[in-house]
Amino acid sequence: MFATSLGDDGAVLRPLEPWRAEEFLAHMERGREFIGRFIALPDAVVDQASSRAFLQAYADKAAADTARIYGIWKDGTLVGGVLFRTMDVKMGTAEAGCWLEPAAAGKGLVTRAARLIIDWAVEERGIHRVEWLAAAANQASIAVARRLGMTRDGVLRESYLHRGERFDVEVWSVLAPDWRANKALAPGA
């Protein structure tokens, strides 16, 4: 089992696999309302069976090379995650996303984890365009897109129905040449 360090604070990133369903459910319970403000993940993971089914669906998508899901652990506790909700290697596109429980917010964990998976997608898998979709009201997610060097492509007005409310969705993206150029400019590159 691999775990990749996210820095000197002890946080790690690793695949979030079906056998971790109980831990994933406990994580959702801790962050259900905070995570669920803008995304439907906590509405889909409500008990042990749905937790396992959700993670199994991503395991199946990973096997088909169409999506990936990773957990972020801090001090041995699952506190959030990043994913490729979709990935089309042939077309060279992927949609990245994230979630985090409140106790882990504001520590840069999502930015560091997303940077790792985007770099893998661009450099190892040949992905040309990585998208990041966020509810326009989700300023924390939009801030991550900015820190990742993404460009705001536009707004899909009232395109996302969540818990009975329609949200505008901002579309952000980074292209492989821009990703590489930004990496070359980063300190320590």
Side-chain angles (χ1 to χ4, degrees), residues 61-145:
K61 291 173 187 178
D65 206 20
T66 60
R68 298 281 190 289
I69 190 168
Y70 304 91
I72 299 170
W73 278 261
K74 181 79 169 78
D75 301 323
T77 301
L78 177 63
V79 296
V82 292
L83 73 155
F84 287 115
R85 202 181 67 73
T86 62
M87 193 165 85
D88 186 332
V89 176
K90 184 176 178 183
M91 292 299 295
T93 61
E95 179 194 332
C98 67
W99 73 94
L100 202 60
E101 64 183 61
K107 296 174 176 47
L109 296 171
V110 165
T111 302
R112 289 182 273 157
R115 189 170 284 125
L116 274 175
I117 69 167
I118 291 169
D119 197 62
W120 170 81
V122 169
E123 301 300 348
E124 300 291 327
R125 298 313 315 279
I127 297 296
H128 178 74
R129 176 186 169 88
V130 177
E131 292 185 345
W132 187 273
L133 278 61
N138 190 346
Q139 291 302 305
S141 186
I142 290 167
V144 170

Side-chain angles (χ1 to χ4, degrees), residues 22-44:
E22 185 175 336
E23 184 178 18
F24 186 52
L25 177 60
H27 160 59
M28 279 300 116
E29 292 300 336
R30 287 190 305 273
R32 186 168 302 285
E33 288 312 308
F34 183 78
I35 296 166
R37 293 174 307 154
F38 300 110
I39 64 172
L41 173 59
D43 299 340

Side-chain angles (χ1 to χ4, degrees), residues 148-167:
L148 292 170
M150 294 185 161
T151 298
R152 184 175 180 256
D153 293 334
V155 176
L156 305 173
R157 296 179 315 128
E158 296 187 8
S159 70
Y160 179 57
L161 180 62
H162 177 60
R163 294 181 175 175
E165 184 180 349
R166 289 218 164 265
F167 287 88

